[in-house]
Amino acid sequence: MSVFSDWDILRNLLLAARWTVVLSLIAFAGGATVGLLLTMMQVSGRTLLVRFTRLYIELFQGTPLLMQLFLVFFGLSLMGLEVSAWFAAALALTLFSSAYLTEIWRGCIESIPRGQWEASRCLGLSYFEIMRHIILPQALKVAIAPTVGFSVQIVKGTALASIIGFVELTKAGTMLNNATFEPFKVFGMVALLYFLLCYPLSVASRKLERKLNVAR
Amino acid sequence: MSLVSINNVHKYYGSNHVLKGINLEIGAGEVVSIIGRSGSGKSTLLRCINGLEAYSEGGVVVDQMEVVYDDRQIRKLSKSVGMVFQSFNLFPHLTVGQNIMLAPKLVRKLPESEAKVIAQEVLAKVGLAEKIDSYPAELSGGQQQRVAIARSLAMNPKVLLCDEITSALDPELVGEVLKVLEDLAAEGMTLILVTHEMNFARDVGDRVIFMHQGLVWEEGDSKTVLANPQTPELSKFINAVL
Ligand SMILES: Nc1ncnc2c1ncn2[C@@H]1O[C@H](COP(=O)(O)OP(=O)(O)O)[C@@H](O)[C@H]1O
Ligand SMILES: [Mg+2]
């Protein structure tokens, strides 16, 4: 067995942290795209679309992310679709984050007073014009802080991908621990790296919240 | 021919019978004040005139257009009917100018330059020409309400509906908004106002409609109706507000 210096451990963890970042970005981008679609469905007022979205959200908010990951990874292969850990993790995290982002964004859109809708309708604006010019610009401002805040959950959520064998920060930590038998040092570094990824996001979220609150 | 024609309009909210057969004919250039206790159906009636609320029975015709609760029809109606609310409802993320120009550009399809000219005109009319680049939050309540009126005027409506537009204002700001309405009335604009300003209703208004329990309880020439109420309900109401 080779001997790992502290630097070796950190270097390997940093290399693996790249995949945590990449997975987080994919999950966020995917979640935001699907979430946007679902949000539009949910505020459309069409009963069927609203019910479907509601069910979707309840499903993903009401079950552990780990189970969703297992279902995607093992479920798809049971159905004959051989998927990589990569794909399964990205898909499960996308579904998970889209449900939460939809819930956040719906709240933001609904926080815009009814009078804004009524005034716009009286001026003859169509549903899409009202959304585009009146509601979304205001809702966006409200949404930024909680959205950035939620991205912290995504970063931490990627750790679960280690369980299906995807080598990101946590998995790399486990492997290095098996090789070095220095759990405190290794996982201390892992935790520190997560903190360095998440802390700026939390700070940004709080700063944005304060700033955007003052602006209005 | 009347500009606004309301025929036997009923409105239910669930089992709550809010409008119980309203009949009204309002001619071009008339200034009509709707008065009555809270909950008597004044706002609901107003909202049925421009399709913001669907009525359950009867018919409303404005400027020869049937009022139906349908997006395309409401868009068409918006060129004939304007509405101003108690709570202003200006768009806080847009400047005064942008607030006013938005609908002319999107709905009337005017180019930016023409919309701008209109914005300057209507703002001058409400005495706020210099506020075109301000944001609503930078204005007083009275100024915001005047901008809201200007925003409606930019669509060049034939009738303006006003739902208690001075009720949210500090007393010292009420006058400037009523002054704008008075100017509009003098220019011949048709106004239908839900109001508690009895002096305004009497001095500027042509006609008063007293609503009670979802019905037009009493109506007629404003000075006559307010001076000689025919029903105990109206007497009681007038005594209560004066
Ligand atoms: N959106 C609504 N849903 C249910 N009931 C309503 C709604 N709007 C008004 N109402 C009811 O209709 C009645 C008349 O209300 P409204 O027209 O607002 O009266 P007013 O403007 O004269 O105070 C009230 O009993 C009120 O509770
Ligand atoms: Mg009312």
Side-chain angles (χ1 to χ4, degrees), chain A residues 8-211:
Chain A
D8 286 330
I9 296 175
L10 186 62
R11 195 169 50 87
N12 280 296
L13 287 178
L14 279 170
L15 287 173
R18 283 181 312 178
W19 299 115
T20 293
V21 172
V22 171
L23 186 58
S24 300
L25 288 174
I26 291 177
F28 185 81
T33 310
V34 178
L36 203 61
L37 203 75
L38 290 169
T39 306
M40 289 300 123
M41 284 165 64
Q42 182 142 63
V43 297
S44 71
R46 306 271 157 84
T47 317
L48 213 65
L49 297 181
V50 173
R51 285 223 186 113
F52 169 80
T53 324
R54 203 60 248 156
L55 187 72
Y56 182 97
I57 293 171
E58 297 296 345
L59 217 62
F60 286 99
Q61 289 197 342
T63 54
L65 175 56
L66 186 58
M67 291 307 122
Q68 296 163 23
L69 205 55
F70 281 170
L71 281 173
V72 170
F73 188 54
F74 299 118
L76 286 182
S77 59
L78 270 182
M79 292 195 307
L81 291 168
E82 219 42 66
V83 296
S84 64
W86 236 123
F87 181 82
L91 182 60
L93 279 163
T94 292
L95 296 174
F96 164 81
S97 42
S98 67
Y100 277 86
L101 287 172
T102 301
E103 194 68 347
I104 291 172
W105 293 343
R106 180 188 59 85
C108 295
I109 287 178
E110 286 177 358
S111 75
I112 307 302
R114 218 166 64 116
Q116 296 283 303
W117 281 99
E118 294 190 338
S120 312
R121 272 175 78 84
C122 290
L123 289 168
L125 273 58
S126 68
Y127 177 87
F128 288 104
E129 287 167 346
I130 299 174
M131 269 294 171
R132 152 95 179 71
H133 295 280
I134 308 301
I135 306 300
L136 291 183
Q138 294 182 65
L140 200 67
K141 221 163 127 180
V142 188
I144 290 174
T147 302
V148 174
F150 178 70
S151 63
V152 172
Q153 302 302 320
I154 298 182
V155 174
K156 292 194 286 191
T158 59
L160 289 175
S162 63
I163 295 175
I164 57 171
F166 178 67
V167 184
E168 41 60 78
L169 187 48
T170 301
K171 180 73 178 174
T174 316
M175 287 155 63
L176 285 163
N177 178 48
N178 289 343
T180 60
F181 303 108
E182 291 192 275
F184 193 76
K185 185 190 281 171
V186 172
F187 288 120
M189 286 187 192
V190 169
L192 182 67
L193 288 177
Y194 273 115
F195 184 77
L196 290 177
L197 286 176
C198 294
Y199 184 63
L201 291 172
S202 314
V203 172
S205 164
R206 237 173 306 126
K207 278 222 168 111
L208 284 167
E209 186 166 358
R210 222 170 307 136
K211 186 160 157 238

Side-chain angles (χ1 to χ4, degrees), chain A residues 114-127 129 133-135 137-138 141 216, chain B residues 47 50 52 69 71 74-75 78 81 83 85 89-93 102-103 106-107 151 155:
Chain A
R114 218 166 64 116
Q116 296 283 303
W117 281 99
E118 294 190 338
S120 312
R121 272 175 78 84
C122 290
L123 289 168
L125 273 58
S126 68
Y127 177 87
E129 287 167 346
H133 295 280
I134 308 301
I135 306 300
Q138 294 182 65
K141 221 163 127 180
R216 262 270 291 289
Chain B
R47 293 157 64 88
N50 67 347
L52 204 53
Y69 186 69
D71 281 353
I74 289 175
R75 193 176 175 91
S78 70
V81 193
M83 185 160 190
F85 300 84
N89 295 344
L90 293 178
F91 308 131
H93 61 299
L102 188 64
L106 292 174
V107 182
R151 184 174 67 176
M155 288 299 281

Side-chain angles (χ1 to χ4, degrees), chain A residues 114, chain B residues 11-14 16-19 34-47 53 163-164 194 196 211:
Chain A
R114 218 166 64 116
Chain B
K11 169 73 184 174
Y12 294 84
Y13 282 113
N16 188 4
H17 198 174
V18 176
L19 297 179
I34 303 177
I35 60 173
R37 290 219 313 254
S38 171
S40 55
K42 307 181 298 293
S43 297
T44 307
L45 177 61
L46 219 52
R47 293 157 64 88
E53 203 74 68
D163 194 353
E164 301 198 30
V194 172
H196 291 301
M211 285 187 69

